[in-house]
């Protein structure tokens, strides 16, 4: 007991908590990344705070993250319990599942199914190239007039996931599809702030009327939409013809039907479908929204990307992933969009799987840990111009592409983003295909769009209008 007490003396520092509520009044839940930046200036790169009686640790900066996420990855590979999510079964998917064999089975199955999907049929790359062509035709239909590409980007990225998960893509004006994307968007907006924290402390509140009902009904509507698709698959399922991820999962369920401890259950299927769809759509779409905004605001960078595309691919052939290695400037621009856009600043919450230490501080098993990815992507001791859009961060003095260790938008270690490869492919193919076809300009008589972000779990740009002129 004395030894443990001594270790607790080395718990990371933080502001003094009040009884019952902890530091809730001192925290700005509307923009946690900014709040964490200010706190790390005061308390250092490893600090803590309290929500009610619950301790939370925040890790900041490249050196701390390298030590924890890479060298001691397993120590923080767990996820915290989120009572509201557990009540609706969402802790059964790969995103919020506890670290252990079930998570490992599900993650391995998801990665290999998504990777191998379409063997002998359409490859993943072909699907993305095809979707990029649809995206271009929607841009072309605007005939150079101003428009907002917000939902169009979401249509494109969610169609890539939909075609792998459900075996089909949707037309961009499909009413059902638009409703689904609306729920996804609203979930993001409503999911920040104090409301979800309150639902977590008191999940029974979901049965009580109040402003939180909009958030609850968005999640439940999203789930019931996916439930319908799973039901349709179950009725038309033919083991001889595997159509998509859901079919592959149904096959695993069939194999394991005698095993009550199997990971492959219907509740897991619903949660993992929701996870992959949710995690794979908004993140990639938001990065593409940043991409268009930044080429709009930095015409010289846009011109240099156009030049490289014309030289390496030309105007007629469709861009493919192999082109990336011959296009150091475009590659650097895409990396810098991800670094500067900093779209998932705090990633997902971690939870200590065992007692651990970092930089002399002690963090016991069972503590929630935030990995502040933003503090790595904008680390002032690492990047030359951390707060500027500067593609040269990823170029050497001969103009060749260089990898940078502090480039961690997908996080790192055991819980690193499961869709990293897919996301990188989408970003390159969508961005390059759009840039090959169009010049993007700010509509006449409109103010310069804002460059600062809005925080809704992710950092997204303010809505803006764009003109896409055929090249
Ligand atoms: C987790 C970023 C696209 C599926 C994560 C995490 C980050 C991230 C930061 C949290 C890692 C951690 O807990 O430390 C991004 C970014 C994307 C992107 C920036 C696009 C630019 C995708 C796509 C998919 C996906 C396309 C779908 C196939 C997931 C899943 C997890 C995850 C399932 C949870 C992994 C686990 O807990 O084991 N992502 N992601 N992501 N991402 Fe992504």
């Amino acid at each position: 007991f004395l030894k443990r007490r001594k270790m607790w003396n080395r718990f990371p520092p933080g502001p003094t908590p009040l009884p019952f509520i902890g530091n809730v009044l001192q925290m700005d839940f509307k923009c946690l990344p900014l709040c964490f930046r200010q706190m790390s200036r005061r308390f250092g790169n490893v600090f803590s705070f309290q929500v009610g009686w619950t301790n939370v640790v925040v890790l900041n900066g490249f050196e701390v993250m390298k030590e924890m996420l890479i060298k001691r990855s397993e120590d923080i590979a767990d996820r915290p319990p989120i009572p509201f999510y557990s009540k609706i079964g969402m802790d059964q998917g790969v995103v919020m599942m506890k670290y252990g064999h079930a998570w490992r089975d599900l993650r391995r199955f998801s990665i290999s199914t998504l990777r191998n999907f379409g063997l002998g049929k359409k490859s993943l790359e072909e699907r993305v190239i095809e979707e990029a062509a649809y995206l271009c035709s929607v841009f072309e239909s605007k005939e150079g007039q101003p428009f907002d590409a917000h939902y169009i980007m979401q249509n494109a990225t969610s169609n890539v996931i939909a075609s792998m998960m459900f075996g089909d893509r949707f037309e961009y004006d499909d009413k059902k599809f638009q409703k689904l994307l609306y729920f996804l968007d609203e979930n993001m907006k409503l999911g920040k702030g104090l409301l979800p924290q309150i639902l977590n402390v008191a999940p029974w509140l979901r049965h009580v009327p109040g402003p939180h009902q909009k958030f609850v009904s968005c999640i439940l509507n999203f789930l019931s939409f996916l439930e319908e698709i799973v039901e349709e698959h179950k009725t038309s399922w033919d083991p001889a013809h595997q159509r998509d991820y859901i079919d592959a999962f149904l096959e695993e369920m069939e194999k394991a039907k005698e095993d009550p401890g199997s990971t492959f259950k219907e509740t897991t299927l619903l949660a993992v479908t929701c996870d992959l769809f949710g995690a794979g759509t908004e993140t990639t779409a938001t990065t593409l929204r940043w991409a268009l905004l930044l080429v709009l605001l930095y015409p010289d960078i846009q011109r240099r990307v156009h030049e490289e595309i014309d030289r390496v691919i030309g105007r007629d052939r469709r861009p493919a992933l192999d082109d990336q290695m011959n296009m150091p400037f475009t590659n650097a621009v895409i990396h810098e969009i991800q670094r500067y856009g900093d779209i998932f600043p705090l990633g997902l919450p971690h939870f200590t799987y065992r007692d651990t230490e970092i930089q002399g501080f002690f963090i016991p098993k069972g503590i929630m840990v935030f990995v502040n990815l933003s503090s790595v992507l904008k680390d002032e001791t690492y990047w030359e111009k951390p707060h500027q859009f500067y593609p040269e961060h990823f170029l050497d003095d001969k103009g060749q592409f260089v990898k940078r260790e502090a480039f961690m938008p997908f996080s790192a270690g055991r819980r690193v983003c499961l869709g990293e490869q897919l996301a990188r492919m989408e970003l390159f193919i969508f961005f390059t295909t759009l840039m090959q076809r169009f010049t993007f300009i700010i509509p006449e008589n409109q103010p310069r769009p804002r460059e600062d972000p809005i925080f809704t779990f992710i950092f997204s740009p303010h809505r803006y209008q764009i003109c896409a002129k055929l090249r």
Side-chain angles (χ1 to χ4, degrees), residues 69 77 79 94-97 103 107 114 161 164 272 275-277 279-285 287 338 343-344 346-350 371 373 408-412 414-420 422-424 426-427:
L69 276 180
R79 293 277 188 229
V94 68
V95 170
M96 289 316 289
M97 195 182 261
W103 166 80
R107 187 170 162 114
L114 294 182
I161 302 279
M164 290 183 309
V272 76
D275 276 355
L276 294 175
F277 204 79
T281 296
E282 199 56 28
T283 44
T284 321
T287 312
Q338 284 201 271
I343 67 133
F344 206 0
L346 304 176
L348 294 163
H350 287 239
V371 292
L373 299 174
M408 282 188 194
F410 299 99
S411 188
R414 305 263 162 145
R415 286 281 187 165
V416 66
C417 173
L418 179 152
E420 176 172 353
L422 172 62
R424 283 172 179 267
E426 286 186 64
L427 292 180

